[in-house]
């Protein structure tokens, strides 16, 4: 019984002390190494991590240890959801978590936080990325145009026939799909086929009629409205108001 | 759903992402599709410098093409001063933009040379640096049982000399499949002269000798009591270092099948275990279709002839992870693709080329017109891997890339039921045999004949 409730003391950069179970603390390879190679009774200093961040990290480690050991009845899907909520923090905290996860060598947390940042970049155009991360645009108009032309090959490849799948949605939620401005699009939502007209004709419209194929082929097709259209350079964002339960 | 994570950080007016170490930035960028990396590079000068760095892009190439193809490219540029200095981002661009192929005829007819007889529905594989050919149907019958091999190594354009390895084992057949798992050949099924369908599995291993040339040993694989029903004209491909998947084909009584089976080889490769995959929905029954593995978890099924004898053009992806397999259909519209009406086909070849794409060649349509075209199918923007298994039907950008390639050089004739395989570089395709259009005789309709030529298809990179 004694070994399972061994506690380790951790002192952070701002002099806060945390006492945690060994099983939780050694999720960090760094702490594990120090513990196994040093004096087990003394306090371990985690110099580069603040109290707030360490507190969050210990929450993460505890959740994962308990889930793996079966102490908590939590399914993989629930753990996945918990992780997703864990990283819903402001950017400063997120980047601090990356630094700390790297320094403490907690691989799964590093993967999670890096994937979170990647998700914040994915699907966005440069202007949106700048807004998200408060990046200052230091290009001149000419330079920016030159870079865009240089990379044109990659974005051209995304043109052509586009077929989009929209998430299976709960009733009345908004969904977004982004498509290349040149293509004619056939949209599929939850195995229903939604036909759309040529995208090039959409640019001037305020709303578009989207026809949804119901699951039962004998019922007539439903007309849905696209609530909002944003036209950008080479792309159009369409916001659908979908009632998916048929 | 509108993203909740687009919180901005205006503390001190500075960006915390700027303080991220380069290593971490590269880790994050490597999780992104290529276009997102470039959009990120367009945000500011510093990120352009980092996000277009050669180190990062070599990793992107390795991620998207695999280590084998990248190493093959590196070694082929080894002696070429100019090409060695081409940045990886440029190479990535040129590989992505491949829009033409150049064909070369190989194996000049030499009176002294004994060549494999012209045939179709045989098997052709690239393994251990050699091309290996087995069986097929020919002018005189349907059950060739000869094994031929020719060493290629890295010299793709030398005139090649076929070597007859052996005959008799495995027994004669056509419409069988043969795939390469690591450096083993795994042969399954097929139909013999009398029309019997087979369900035996054979393992072949190539050895290269200094003086004796190539030798190959075929062995019947012990699969225990469970094996798929006998069939021919099915599709198969290798999906991991120990597994092969098969689908459909023509079974007993000429009925087209729609079952999916996976065999897993034991560690010592002495026996295999078959099990059937159950997934709904799954591709309808068919024969003469193709199965091609494009990534660790994704295998593409295309075309074939269905139950009603119609020629198909549907695309299905089999997503296989530990203990979980699922078929997902990829929808697209023929009329949106230039020359798309020619896409339904059977008896085509579909090989995985560099960049995780499919190169489809030849085959015939519902009117039995044979094709000589080259198509590339690119579904790399579907990131099924990163999806949590229960969300496989979730949102994804499907940018189906059907691209027809311009053929240059030698013009191979229209053909179907030929076989093709690609070498380690992923840029050179070897094609052998098939049924081709015959010569017009005044008194006869356009006939067909078996072809026996070997030709090479090179993906042209503009470097």
């Amino acid at each position: 019984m004694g070994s399972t409730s061994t506690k380790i003391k951790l002192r952070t950069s701002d002099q806060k002390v945390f006492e945690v179970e060994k099983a939780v603390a050694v999720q960090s390879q760094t702490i594990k190494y120090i513990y196994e190679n040093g004096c087990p009774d003394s306090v371990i200093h985690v110099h580069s991590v603040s109290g707030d961040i360490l507190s969050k990290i210990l929450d993460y480690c505890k959740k994962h240890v308990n889930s793996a050991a079966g102490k908590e009845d939590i399914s993989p899907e629930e753990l996945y959801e918990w992780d997703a909520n864990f990283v819903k923090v402001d950017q400063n905290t997120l980047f601090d978590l990356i630094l700390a996860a790297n320094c403490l060598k907690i691989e799964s947390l590093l993967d999670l936080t890096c994937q979170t940042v990647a998700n914040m970049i994915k699907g966005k155009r440069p202007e949106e990325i700048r807004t998200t991360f408060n990046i200052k645009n230091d290009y001149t108009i000419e330079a920016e145009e030159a870079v865009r032309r240089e990379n044109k090959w990659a974005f051209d490849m995304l043109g052509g026939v586009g077929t989009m799948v929209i998430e299976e949605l709960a009733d009345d939620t908004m969904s977004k799909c982004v498509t290349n401005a040149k293509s004619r699009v056939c949209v599929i939502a939850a195995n229903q086929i939604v036909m759309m007209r040529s995208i090039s004709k959409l640019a001037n419209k305020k709303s578009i009629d989207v026809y949804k194929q119901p699951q039962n082929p004998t019922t007539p097709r439903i007309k849905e409205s696209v609530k909002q259209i944003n036209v950008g350079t080479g792309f159009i964002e369409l916001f659908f108001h979908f009632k998916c339960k048929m | 759903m509108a993203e909740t994570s687009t919180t901005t950080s205006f503390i001190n007016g500075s960006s915390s992402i700027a303080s991220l170490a380069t290593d971490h930035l590269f880790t994050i960028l490597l999780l992104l599709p290529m276009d997102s990396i470039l959009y990120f590079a367009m945000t500011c000068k510093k990120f352009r410098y980092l996000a277009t760095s050669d180190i990062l892009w070599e990793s992107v190439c390795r991620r998207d093409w695999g280590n084998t193809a990248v190493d093959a490219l590196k070694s082929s540029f080894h002696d070429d001063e100019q090409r060695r200095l081409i940045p990886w981002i440029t190479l990535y661009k040129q590989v992505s933009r491949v829009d033409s192929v150049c064909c070369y005829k190989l194996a000049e007819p030499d009176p002294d040379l004994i060549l494999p007889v012209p045939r179709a529905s045989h098997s052709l594989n690239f393994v251990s640096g050699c091309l290996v050919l087995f069986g097929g149907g020919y002018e005189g019958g349907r059950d060739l049982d000869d094994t031929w091999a020719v060493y290629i190594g890295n010299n793709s354009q030398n005139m090649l000399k076929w070597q007859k390895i052996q005959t008799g084992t495995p027994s004669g057949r056509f419409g069988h499949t043969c795939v390469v798992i690591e450096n083993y050949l795994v042969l399954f099924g097929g139909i013999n002269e009398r029309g019997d369908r087979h369900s035996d599995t054979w393992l072949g291993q190539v050895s290269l000798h200094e003086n004796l040339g190539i030798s190959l040993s075929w062995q019947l694989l012990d699969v225990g009591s469970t094996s798929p029903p006998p069939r021919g004209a099915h599709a198969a491909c290798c999906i991991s270092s120990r597994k092969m998947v098969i689908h459909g084909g023509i079974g007993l009584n000429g009925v087209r099948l729609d079952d999916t089976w996976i065999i897993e080889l034991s560690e010592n490769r002495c026996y295999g275990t078959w099990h059937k995959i159950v997934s709904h929905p799954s591709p309808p029954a068919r024969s003469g279709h193709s199965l091609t593995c494009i990534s660790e978890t994704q295998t593409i099924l295309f075309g074939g002839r269905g139950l009603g004898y119609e020629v198909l053009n549907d695309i299905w992806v089999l997503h296989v992870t530990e203990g979980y397999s699922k078929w997902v259909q990829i929808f697209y519209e023929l009329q949106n693709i230039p020359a798309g009406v020619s896409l339904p086909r059977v008896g085509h070849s579909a090989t995985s080329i560099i960049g995780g794409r499919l190169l489809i060649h030849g085959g015939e349509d519902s009117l039995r017109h044979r094709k000589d075209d080259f198509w590339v199918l690119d579904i790399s923007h579907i990131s099924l891997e990163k999806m949590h298994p229960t969300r496989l039907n979730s949102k994804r950008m499907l940018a189906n890339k059907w691209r027809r390639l311009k053929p240059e050089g030698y013009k191979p004739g229209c053909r179907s039921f030929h076989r093709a395989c690609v070498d380690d570089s992923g840029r050179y395709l070897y094609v052998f045999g098939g049924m081709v259009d015959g010569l017009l005789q005044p008194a006869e309709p356009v006939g067909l004949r078996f072809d026996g030529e070997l030709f090479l298809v090179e993906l042209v990179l503009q470097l």
Side-chain angles (χ1 to χ4, degrees):
Chain A
M1 283 304 164
S3 58
T4 54
S5 61
T6 310
K7 301 266 193 215
I8 296 184
K9 286 205 185 106
L10 305 169
R11 178 178 282 131
T12 64
S13 60
D14 49 353
Q15 305 305 319
K16 297 211 177 90
V17 177
F18 292 81
E19 196 171 7
V20 282
E21 279 181 27
K22 176 181 160 217
V24 172
V26 296
Q27 293 282 290
S28 152
Q29 296 298 306
T30 307
I31 293 177
K32 182 169 193 256
Y33 182 81
I34 296 175
Y35 179 78
E36 286 171 355
N37 291 292
C39 179
D41 292 331
S42 63
V43 177
I44 297 178
H45 292 265
V46 279
H47 303 286
S48 37
V49 185
S50 72
D52 289 339
I53 297 293
L54 187 64
S55 169
K56 271 203 76 85
I57 290 182
L58 291 173
D59 279 345
Y60 175 88
C61 294
K62 190 166 180 189
K63 191 77 177 177
H64 280 248
V65 163
N66 287 347
S67 141
K71 279 190 202 163
E72 254 187 65
D73 183 20
I74 176 170
S75 69
E77 288 83 14
E78 285 167 342
L79 189 62
Y80 184 85
E81 290 296 334
W82 189 91
D83 281 352
N85 281 321
F86 179 81
V87 287
K88 283 186 181 150
V89 293
D90 66 81
Q91 273 187 32
N92 274 335
T93 309
L94 186 59
F95 290 118
D96 283 342
L97 281 172
I98 292 180
L99 280 170
N102 180 57
C103 155
L104 292 173
K105 289 202 182 40
I106 307 171
E107 202 176 306
S108 64
L109 181 59
L110 189 60
D111 287 345
L112 174 66
T113 46
C114 285
Q115 184 65 59
T116 306
V117 178
N119 293 343
M120 287 159 75
I121 298 173
K122 195 171 192 174
K124 291 197 167 99
R125 266 46 180 198
E127 192 47 53
E128 295 168 282
I129 300 176
R130 288 189 200 115
T131 312
T132 303
F133 295 102
N134 192 28
I135 298 170
K136 189 167 174 344
N137 181 5
D138 55 356
Y139 283 119
T140 60
I141 309 254
E142 297 83 20
E144 187 162 358
E145 192 44 47
V147 173
R148 193 193 315 277
R149 258 183 280 121
E150 188 180 276
N151 292 330
K152 195 170 170 296
W153 63 272
F155 312 126
D156 277 350
M157 273 173 50
L158 299 174
V161 181
T163 313
M164 245 114 299
V165 174
I166 300 184
E167 270 186 71
E168 292 190 39
L169 304 165
D171 289 344
D172 295 342
T173 51
M174 298 282 273
S175 167
K176 182 173 85 166
C177 83
V178 182
T179 174
N180 181 283
K182 287 184 250 174
S183 56
R184 186 169 184 272
V185 172
C186 166
V187 180
I188 301 167
N191 289 328
Q192 297 152 339
I193 304 205
V194 177
M195 307 299 290
M196 286 172 49
R197 292 196 294 272
S198 171
I199 292 281
S200 58
K201 293 187 167 53
L202 300 179
N204 299 323
K205 293 195 181 236
K206 296 288 175 197
S207 71
I208 306 164
D209 295 328
V210 167
Y211 291 86
K212 190 160 84 171
Q213 185 86 21
Q215 287 195 343
N216 183 344
T218 58
T219 60
R221 293 197 294 183
I222 312 281
K223 210 160 91 160
E224 289 287 346
S225 288
V226 176
K227 294 295 178 197
Q228 188 179 319
I229 307 168
N230 293 337
V231 180
T233 321
F235 73 94
I236 296 178
E237 272 183 349
L238 302 153
F239 289 88
F240 295 88
H241 196 183
F242 250 26
K243 290 182 174 58
C244 256
K245 303 288 182 206
M246 294 281 314
Chain B
M1 233 174 89
E3 276 151 340
T4 56
S5 53
T6 53
T7 53
T8 53
S9 168
F10 286 90
I11 297 170
N12 300 329
S14 67
S15 151
S16 7
I17 196 171
S19 62
L20 211 52
T22 308
D23 272 351
H24 296 152
L25 190 64
F26 281 5
T27 306
I28 291 167
L29 291 176
L30 280 172
L31 294 169
L32 291 167
M34 166 275 296
D35 51 307
S36 286
I37 301 179
L38 291 174
Y39 278 139
F40 186 80
M42 283 163 67
T43 53
C44 70
K45 290 183 188 168
K46 173 185 172 185
F47 286 146
R48 177 182 176 196
Y49 175 71
L50 288 175
T52 57
S53 85
D54 216 35
I55 302 172
L56 175 68
W57 279 86
E58 180 173 346
S59 299
V60 176
C61 290
R62 285 187 184 277
R63 179 194 76 181
D64 291 353
W65 304 342
N67 284 321
T68 324
V70 169
D71 292 333
L73 206 63
K74 269 175 125 163
S75 70
S76 75
F77 289 171
H78 183 67
D79 300 321
D80 190 329
E81 291 255 354
Q82 259 190 325
R83 289 185 166 192
R84 235 182 331 166
L85 299 170
I86 300 176
W88 283 102
I89 190 173
T90 308
L91 283 172
Y92 192 98
K93 169 179 167 182
Q94 299 304 40
V95 166
S96 307
R97 288 171 77 180
V98 162
D99 63 353
S100 64
V101 289
C102 193
C103 300
Y104 304 90
K105 203 168 167 186
L106 296 171
E108 281 294 315
D110 176 346
D112 296 335
L113 219 58
I114 304 173
L115 296 171
V117 298
R119 63 190 69 200
S121 296
H122 47 285
S123 62
L124 181 76
N125 299 99
F126 184 86
V127 63
S128 306
C130 304
L131 280 180
V132 177
L133 169 72
F134 173 76
Y138 68 120
E139 198 65 53
R142 303 194 294 175
D143 60 350
L144 287 166
D145 61 0
D146 49 349
T147 309
W148 294 75
V150 56
Y151 178 73
I152 297 184
N154 292 322
N155 303 328
S156 48
Q157 293 191 36
N158 285 353
M159 291 299 138
L160 305 170
K161 292 192 175 167
W162 283 107
Q163 197 183 325
K164 192 170 191 176
I165 306 292
Q166 64 179 69
T167 55
T169 310
S171 57
R173 63 192 70 198
F174 74 98
H176 52 284
T177 54
C178 192
V179 311
V180 177
I181 298 186
E182 302 250 281
N183 53 354
Y184 286 85
L185 291 165
V186 181
L187 187 150
F188 173 76
I191 307 174
N192 71 7
E193 180 69 42
R194 291 193 311 271
D196 300 327
R197 294 18 168 164
H198 292 292
S199 62
D200 46 351
T201 315
W202 293 80
L203 217 60
Q205 207 177 9
V206 168
S207 332
L208 296 165
H209 308 279
E210 277 282 340
N211 303 318
L212 304 171
I214 308 167
S215 70
L216 194 159
S217 60
W218 284 110
Q219 267 179 308
L220 187 62
L221 186 69
D222 176 9
V223 297
S225 51
T226 311
S227 73
R231 66 194 68 208
H234 51 286
C237 73
C238 167
I239 55 173
S240 77
S241 60
R242 297 236 294 267
K243 292 187 192 171
M244 170 177 84
V245 62
I246 67 156
H247 175 272
I250 306 177
L252 298 171
N253 307 319
V255 175
R256 284 181 170 78
L257 307 165
D258 66 352
D259 49 351
T260 311
W261 291 75
I262 291 185
I263 182 171
E264 180 161 5
L265 298 180
S266 64
E267 263 199 59
N268 56 9
R269 313 286 191 265
C270 287
Y271 63 89
T273 324
W274 281 105
H275 72 274
K276 190 172 174 177
I277 302 287
V278 178
S279 150
H280 296 292
S282 68
R286 64 190 71 202
S287 65
H289 51 301
S290 61
L291 264 181
T292 324
C293 185
I294 52 159
S295 76
E296 263 177 47
T297 51
Q298 290 176 289
T299 303
I300 305 182
L301 180 149
F302 172 68
R305 194 187 293 283
L307 273 175
Y309 221 61
E310 73 285 16
V311 174
L312 307 163
N313 67 297
D314 47 349
I315 301 174
W316 290 77
V317 176
L318 179 65
H319 185 76
V320 179
T321 51
E322 224 31 66
Y324 187 84
S325 315
K326 189 176 163 80
W327 280 108
V328 176
Q329 185 171 7
I330 308 282
F331 297 98
Y332 66 102
E333 278 192 49
L334 274 185
Q335 62 256 36
N336 292 333
I337 304 163
V341 288
S342 69
L343 279 176
R345 55 190 66 196
V346 58
H348 54 281
S349 61
T351 8
S352 168
I353 51 168
I354 189 172
R357 296 167 294 180
L358 232 58
L359 179 63
I360 291 169
H361 172 59
E364 53 186 63
D365 63 16
S366 45
L367 299 169
R368 304 219 145 207
H369 292 154
R370 279 170 286 278
K371 317 275 179 198
D372 62 356
D373 51 4
F374 292 92
W375 288 86
V376 167
L377 173 62
D378 182 357
I379 59 164
S380 56
H381 286 91
I382 304 167
S383 54
L384 292 175
E385 270 105 335
K386 300 290 189 299
M387 298 267 163
H388 193 250
T390 56
R391 293 184 181 189
L392 270 175
N393 283 325
S394 300
K395 174 179 180 173
R396 46 190 186 273
M397 278 277 283
L398 301 176
N400 292 356
K401 289 282 144 320
W402 277 110
R403 198 188 309 165
R404 191 162 166 175
L405 301 178
K406 289 190 295 283
E408 292 163 18
Y410 173 67
K411 298 274 184 290
C414 300
R415 68 191 62 227
S416 60
F417 300 97
H418 54 284
R419 293 298 184 250
C421 63
V422 78
D423 72 355
D424 286 334
S425 73
R427 285 180 298 128
Y428 292 95
L429 187 78
Y430 292 88
V431 183
F432 180 80
M435 315 247 274
V436 296
D437 295 334
L439 298 168
L440 270 171
Q441 303 287 345
E444 291 169 41
V446 173
L448 56 84
R449 61 173 181 85
F450 291 93
D451 188 66
E453 76 171 343
L454 179 71
F455 64 93
L456 176 68
V457 180
E458 178 191 2
L459 290 174
V460 177
L461 296 182
Q462 325 269 2
L463 294 173

